[in-house]
Amino acid sequence: MKLYIYEHCPFSARVRYVAGMLNIPLTVTCIAYDDDKTTNALIGTKQVPLLIKDDGEALAESLDIIQYFIELAQSSETIEISKAVFDWQKNAFLPLQKIGYPRWSNMALPEFETDSARQAWRAKKESDELNFDALLQDTANIASDVESLIKQAKTILQLETNQPVRLIDGAIMFSILRGFFSAPEIKWDNTVKDWMESVSVKTHVSLLK
Ligand SMILES: N[C@@H](CCC(=O)N[C@@H](CS)C(=O)NCC(=O)O)C(=O)O
């Protein structure tokens, strides 16, 4: 099976997390950010993650892909997200954009190898509300919000009690938290950082450092 992704993309990362946890073999292809053709030719729009199953069928929604992996692995997990994770995710998405948007295209990520790809990113993602230079200048305030989210993550995932983390909850939290590593100013709770690092090794999904 082939999975098209962007390395920075949290929806791609949650799918890769589940594939890693369930030992689903995948050929992962990162497309260039200015590539308007590859996924358009397959599903009529520019969107990742995109799974091409072995029978050629395309699946283009992260939760549909995860559901398919759960069935393939005959796992008892589900795609039902717990309320605490759902609420945390809603609060975490804007801070993720504020940290990631002005940084990811300047990192050594495969989707941003060319000037054209980096320019396509800025043209699409920068707005009055998310002005890249202003966001970088406001790093201290944004980092403080993110540090609260990291502390909440420790409680929600019950990392200190060694309770098993539900597959879908772990996938969502990991995929958002990994994006915060792109700002070295953010101070991490050690328990959460250790969990992120061990899960990254286990799933082969790198942190966005
Ligand atoms: N609902 C979709 C959302 C996927 C999504 O928003 N993907 C973004 C990347 S993170 C995308 O492909 N955006 C197109 C673009 O940036 O040009 C899912 O859950 O898979």
Side-chain angles (χ1 to χ4, degrees):
M1 281 182 295
K2 188 162 184 170
L3 182 73
Y4 292 98
I5 62 152
Y6 299 133
E7 187 64 40
H8 71 271
C9 165
F11 301 96
S12 302
R14 59 163 80 156
V15 165
R16 294 164 68 201
Y17 172 105
V18 170
M21 288 293 183
L22 298 178
N23 292 313
I24 307 268
L26 283 179
T27 304
V28 176
T29 301
C30 183
I31 60 173
Y33 195 75
D34 59 339
D35 174 356
D36 292 334
K37 297 204 180 86
T38 302
T39 67
N40 244 309
L42 294 160
I43 51 165
T45 185
K46 179 179 183 290
Q47 184 175 309
V48 296
L50 170 62
L51 180 77
I52 307 299
K53 289 162 56 177
D54 284 340
D55 65 4
E57 191 194 336
L59 278 185
E61 278 295 317
S62 57
L63 290 179
D64 291 345
I65 299 171
I66 290 171
Q67 175 66 44
Y68 177 63
F69 288 168
I70 288 172
E71 284 163 21
L72 262 188
Q74 300 184 311
S75 161
S76 58
E77 295 279 356
T78 73
I79 56 165
E80 203 181 310
I81 303 165
S82 71
K83 182 167 174 354
V85 170
F86 189 82
D87 292 345
W88 180 90
Q89 168 188 233
K90 263 201 316 208
N91 293 332
F93 225 81
L94 184 58
L96 179 67
Q97 292 173 336
K98 288 181 172 180
I99 289 293
Y101 280 11
R103 292 178 173 84
W104 293 333
S105 63
N106 296 318
M107 294 169 63
L109 301 179
E111 63 269 42
F112 297 123
E113 269 172 8
T114 64
D115 281 342
S116 159
R118 289 190 287 272
Q119 279 160 16
W121 170 261
R122 192 157 194 164
K124 184 154 185 179
K125 299 296 186 186
E126 190 162 33
S127 61
D128 288 343
E129 193 203 355
L130 297 173
N131 175 279
F132 286 10
D133 294 333
L135 289 173
L136 288 174
Q137 284 192 7
D138 199 26
T139 295
N141 287 321
I142 304 166
S144 150
D145 291 344
V146 170
E147 284 156 14
S148 305
L149 287 162
I150 290 170
K151 288 200 184 88
Q152 290 163 25
K154 177 157 84 171
T155 310
I156 292 169
L157 291 169
Q158 297 182 276
L159 293 180
E160 281 176 326
T161 62
N162 277 330
Q163 291 275 98
V165 176
R166 211 193 280 185
L167 182 72
I168 191 68
D169 287 349
I172 287 172
M173 306 281 295
F174 173 83
S175 64
I176 292 176
L177 287 166
R178 82 190 264 272
F180 293 137
F181 282 88
S182 54
E185 295 88 347
I186 292 172
K187 292 186 198 72
W188 283 79
D189 174 281
N190 280 334
T191 309
V192 181
K193 192 173 180 207
D194 289 349
W195 180 76
M196 289 298 292
E197 282 170 352
S198 71
V199 165
S200 169
V201 170
K202 195 164 178 180
T203 58
H204 309 288
V205 182
S206 58
L207 305 177
L208 289 180
K209 289 187 184 176

